[in-house]
Amino acid sequence: MTEEPLDRWAARRQGRLRKPGELKAITLSTGPARAAHVDPDAPRLILEWDGFAWQVLMTVDNYADACRALGRSLHAQATEQAETTGPVTGRNPLAPGTGRHRKSRP
């Protein structure tokens, strides 16, 4: 096995790392962590990655303000979320079928 040159490995590693200045919002509420759409009126904490740890940047009143602080539009957020969690298109995966993995029905 040939070894990868150190400069190529470092460049590949750097591409995988989180970039300094990246922002994220977390919900400030009691209880377990919940998705943003569950409690859109809860206050949010905006955090910034400094290359080593998440640093507190500001607090905002609700989900809409958090989207504005992160530079995202609510419509883009909803569209992005719908694409990743939307309904399965095409054939219903739970419908009866003739696949080899299904039990035959009399």
Side-chain angles (χ1 to χ4, degrees):
M1 182 170 108
T2 61
E3 289 194 22
E4 181 178 20
L6 183 60
D7 58 340
R8 188 180 300 161
W9 172 85
R12 191 169 44 86
R13 181 178 183 274
Q14 189 64 30
R16 287 193 314 251
L17 295 177
R18 182 174 279 123
K19 307 292 187 253
E22 182 180 329
L23 300 174
K24 76 174 182 178
I26 59 172
T27 305
L28 293 176
S29 62
T30 58
R34 296 167 24 155
H37 68 279
V38 174
D39 195 3
D41 295 326
R44 305 295 202 271
L45 186 65
I46 306 296
L47 303 173
E48 180 180 24
W49 181 252
D50 69 0
F52 300 100
W54 289 103
Q55 302 296 325
V56 175
L57 195 60
M58 69 177 100
T59 58
V60 294
D61 293 330
N62 54 34
Y63 177 68
D65 291 342
C67 287
R68 282 190 284 280
L70 297 177
R72 301 178 187 154
S73 70
L74 287 175
H75 177 68
Q77 272 301 94
T79 304
E80 180 180 308
Q81 186 176 14
E83 288 176 4
T84 58
T85 61
V88 177
T89 58
R91 191 181 70 79
N92 181 355
L94 301 178
T98 59
R100 293 185 310 158
H101 64 284
R102 300 193 183 262
K103 294 181 179 178
S104 61
R105 297 183 179 161

Short mmCIF file of all heavy atoms in Angstrom, two decimals, residues 52-78:
data_model
loop_
_atom_site.label_atom_id
_atom_site.label_comp_id
_atom_site.label_asym_id
_atom_site.label_seq_id
_atom_site.Cartn_x
_atom_site.Cartn_y
_atom_site.Cartn_z
N PHE A 52 -12.61 25.86 16.92
CA PHE A 52 -12.34 24.94 18.02
C PHE A 52 -13.57 24.62 18.84
O PHE A 52 -13.69 23.52 19.37
CB PHE A 52 -11.25 25.52 18.94
CG PHE A 52 -9.95 25.75 18.24
CD1 PHE A 52 -9.61 27.03 17.82
CD2 PHE A 52 -9.10 24.71 17.97
CE1 PHE A 52 -8.43 27.25 17.15
CE2 PHE A 52 -7.91 24.92 17.30
CZ PHE A 52 -7.57 26.19 16.88
N ALA A 53 -14.48 25.59 19.00
CA ALA A 53 -15.67 25.39 19.82
C ALA A 53 -16.77 26.33 19.35
O ALA A 53 -16.52 27.32 18.67
CB ALA A 53 -15.34 25.67 21.29
N TRP A 54 -18.01 26.01 19.73
CA TRP A 54 -19.15 26.89 19.43
C TRP A 54 -19.17 28.02 20.44
O TRP A 54 -19.13 27.79 21.63
CB TRP A 54 -20.47 26.10 19.50
CG TRP A 54 -20.63 25.14 18.37
CD1 TRP A 54 -20.46 23.80 18.42
CD2 TRP A 54 -20.99 25.45 17.03
NE1 TRP A 54 -20.69 23.24 17.20
CE2 TRP A 54 -21.02 24.23 16.32
CE3 TRP A 54 -21.29 26.62 16.36
CZ2 TRP A 54 -21.35 24.18 14.96
CZ3 TRP A 54 -21.61 26.56 15.02
CH2 TRP A 54 -21.63 25.34 14.33
N GLN A 55 -19.22 29.27 19.95
CA GLN A 55 -19.25 30.45 20.80
C GLN A 55 -20.61 31.12 20.67
O GLN A 55 -21.17 31.21 19.58
CB GLN A 55 -18.17 31.45 20.37
CG GLN A 55 -16.76 30.88 20.41
CD GLN A 55 -16.32 30.49 21.80
OE1 GLN A 55 -16.67 31.14 22.78
NE2 GLN A 55 -15.56 29.42 21.90
N VAL A 56 -21.15 31.61 21.79
CA VAL A 56 -22.44 32.30 21.78
C VAL A 56 -22.29 33.62 21.04
O VAL A 56 -21.38 34.41 21.33
CB VAL A 56 -22.93 32.54 23.22
CG1 VAL A 56 -24.20 33.36 23.21
CG2 VAL A 56 -23.15 31.22 23.92
N LEU A 57 -23.18 33.85 20.09
CA LEU A 57 -23.14 35.08 19.31
C LEU A 57 -24.27 36.02 19.74
O LEU A 57 -24.03 37.19 19.99
CB LEU A 57 -23.26 34.74 17.82
CG LEU A 57 -22.92 35.83 16.83
CD1 LEU A 57 -21.48 36.27 17.01
CD2 LEU A 57 -23.12 35.32 15.41
N MET A 58 -25.50 35.48 19.85
CA MET A 58 -26.65 36.30 20.25
C MET A 58 -27.83 35.40 20.55
O MET A 58 -27.79 34.20 20.27
CB MET A 58 -27.02 37.29 19.14
CG MET A 58 -27.61 36.61 17.91
SD MET A 58 -28.14 37.76 16.66
CE MET A 58 -26.76 37.68 15.56
N THR A 59 -28.86 35.98 21.13
CA THR A 59 -30.13 35.28 21.30
C THR A 59 -31.17 36.02 20.46
O THR A 59 -31.07 37.22 20.25
CB THR A 59 -30.59 35.24 22.77
OG1 THR A 59 -30.70 36.57 23.25
CG2 THR A 59 -29.62 34.45 23.63
N VAL A 60 -32.14 35.26 19.98
CA VAL A 60 -33.25 35.84 19.20
C VAL A 60 -34.56 35.32 19.76
O VAL A 60 -34.58 34.32 20.50
CB VAL A 60 -33.11 35.51 17.70
CG1 VAL A 60 -31.91 36.20 17.09
CG2 VAL A 60 -33.05 34.03 17.46
N ASP A 61 -35.64 36.00 19.43
CA ASP A 61 -36.94 35.70 20.04
C ASP A 61 -37.64 34.45 19.53
O ASP A 61 -38.37 33.81 20.26
CB ASP A 61 -37.88 36.89 19.88
CG ASP A 61 -37.40 38.09 20.67
OD1 ASP A 61 -36.77 37.88 21.72
OD2 ASP A 61 -37.66 39.22 20.24
N ASN A 62 -37.46 34.10 18.25
CA ASN A 62 -38.21 32.98 17.69
C ASN A 62 -37.51 32.40 16.47
O ASN A 62 -36.43 32.84 16.09
CB ASN A 62 -39.64 33.42 17.35
CG ASN A 62 -39.67 34.61 16.43
OD1 ASN A 62 -38.82 34.78 15.57
ND2 ASN A 62 -40.65 35.48 16.64
N TYR A 63 -38.15 31.42 15.86
CA TYR A 63 -37.60 30.71 14.70
C TYR A 63 -37.39 31.65 13.52
O TYR A 63 -36.37 31.59 12.84
CB TYR A 63 -38.53 29.56 14.34
CG TYR A 63 -38.11 28.78 13.12
CD1 TYR A 63 -36.97 27.99 13.15
CD2 TYR A 63 -38.86 28.83 11.96
CE1 TYR A 63 -36.58 27.27 12.04
CE2 TYR A 63 -38.48 28.11 10.84
CZ TYR A 63 -37.33 27.34 10.89
OH TYR A 63 -36.95 26.62 9.78
N ALA A 64 -38.36 32.53 13.26
CA ALA A 64 -38.24 33.45 12.13
C ALA A 64 -37.04 34.36 12.30
O ALA A 64 -36.28 34.59 11.35
CB ALA A 64 -39.52 34.27 11.99
N ASP A 65 -36.82 34.87 13.49
CA ASP A 65 -35.66 35.73 13.76
C ASP A 65 -34.36 34.94 13.62
O ASP A 65 -33.35 35.47 13.16
CB ASP A 65 -35.74 36.35 15.15
CG ASP A 65 -36.86 37.38 15.27
OD1 ASP A 65 -37.34 37.86 14.21
OD2 ASP A 65 -37.25 37.70 16.40
N ALA A 66 -34.38 33.68 14.02
CA ALA A 66 -33.19 32.83 13.89
C ALA A 66 -32.85 32.63 12.42
O ALA A 66 -31.68 32.68 12.03
CB ALA A 66 -33.41 31.49 14.58
N CYS A 67 -33.86 32.41 11.59
CA CYS A 67 -33.62 32.25 10.15
C CYS A 67 -33.00 33.51 9.57
O CYS A 67 -32.07 33.44 8.76
CB CYS A 67 -34.92 31.92 9.43
SG CYS A 67 -35.47 30.23 9.72
N ARG A 68 -33.51 34.67 9.98
CA ARG A 68 -32.94 35.93 9.49
C ARG A 68 -31.50 36.10 9.96
O ARG A 68 -30.64 36.54 9.20
CB ARG A 68 -33.80 37.10 9.94
CG ARG A 68 -35.06 37.28 9.11
CD ARG A 68 -35.76 38.58 9.43
NE ARG A 68 -36.50 38.55 10.69
CZ ARG A 68 -37.70 38.00 10.84
NH1 ARG A 68 -38.30 37.43 9.82
NH2 ARG A 68 -38.30 38.01 12.00
N ALA A 69 -31.21 35.74 11.20
CA ALA A 69 -29.85 35.87 11.73
C ALA A 69 -28.89 34.94 11.01
O ALA A 69 -27.71 35.26 10.84
CB ALA A 69 -29.84 35.57 13.23
N LEU A 70 -29.37 33.78 10.59
CA LEU A 70 -28.52 32.82 9.88
C LEU A 70 -28.44 33.12 8.40
O LEU A 70 -27.73 32.43 7.67
CB LEU A 70 -29.05 31.39 10.10
CG LEU A 70 -29.03 30.90 11.54
CD1 LEU A 70 -29.65 29.52 11.62
CD2 LEU A 70 -27.62 30.89 12.09
N GLY A 71 -29.22 34.12 7.94
CA GLY A 71 -29.18 34.48 6.53
C GLY A 71 -30.00 33.56 5.66
O GLY A 71 -29.72 33.40 4.48
N ARG A 72 -31.01 32.94 6.22
CA ARG A 72 -31.87 32.03 5.46
C ARG A 72 -33.27 32.61 5.42
O ARG A 72 -33.71 33.26 6.36
CB ARG A 72 -31.94 30.67 6.14
CG ARG A 72 -30.62 30.00 6.30
CD ARG A 72 -30.78 28.70 7.02
NE ARG A 72 -29.48 28.13 7.32
CZ ARG A 72 -29.27 27.30 8.31
NH1 ARG A 72 -30.25 26.96 9.11
NH2 ARG A 72 -28.07 26.81 8.51
N SER A 73 -33.98 32.32 4.35
CA SER A 73 -35.37 32.74 4.28
C SER A 73 -36.24 31.58 4.80
O SER A 73 -35.86 30.42 4.69
CB SER A 73 -35.77 33.09 2.86
OG SER A 73 -35.82 31.94 2.05
N LEU A 74 -37.38 31.91 5.35
CA LEU A 74 -38.28 30.87 5.85
C LEU A 74 -38.74 29.97 4.72
O LEU A 74 -38.89 28.77 4.88
CB LEU A 74 -39.49 31.50 6.55
CG LEU A 74 -39.20 32.12 7.91
CD1 LEU A 74 -40.44 32.81 8.44
CD2 LEU A 74 -38.73 31.07 8.89
N HIS A 75 -38.97 30.54 3.54
CA HIS A 75 -39.42 29.74 2.40
C HIS A 75 -38.34 28.73 1.99
O HIS A 75 -38.62 27.57 1.74
CB HIS A 75 -39.77 30.63 1.21
CG HIS A 75 -40.17 29.88 0.00
ND1 HIS A 75 -41.35 29.15 -0.05
CD2 HIS A 75 -39.55 29.69 -1.19
CE1 HIS A 75 -41.43 28.57 -1.23
NE2 HIS A 75 -40.34 28.88 -1.93
N ALA A 76 -37.08 29.17 1.97
CA ALA A 76 -35.98 28.27 1.62
C ALA A 76 -35.84 27.18 2.66
O ALA A 76 -35.59 26.02 2.33
CB ALA A 76 -34.67 29.05 1.48
N GLN A 77 -36.00 27.52 3.94
CA GLN A 77 -35.95 26.53 5.01
C GLN A 77 -37.04 25.48 4.83
O GLN A 77 -36.80 24.30 4.94
CB GLN A 77 -36.15 27.19 6.37
CG GLN A 77 -34.94 27.72 7.07
CD GLN A 77 -33.88 26.71 7.33
OE1 GLN A 77 -32.97 26.58 6.51
NE2 GLN A 77 -33.93 26.01 8.40
N ALA A 78 -38.26 25.94 4.58
CA ALA A 78 -39.38 25.02 4.43
C ALA A 78 -39.19 24.14 3.21
O ALA A 78 -39.47 22.94 3.24
CB ALA A 78 -40.69 25.79 4.33
#
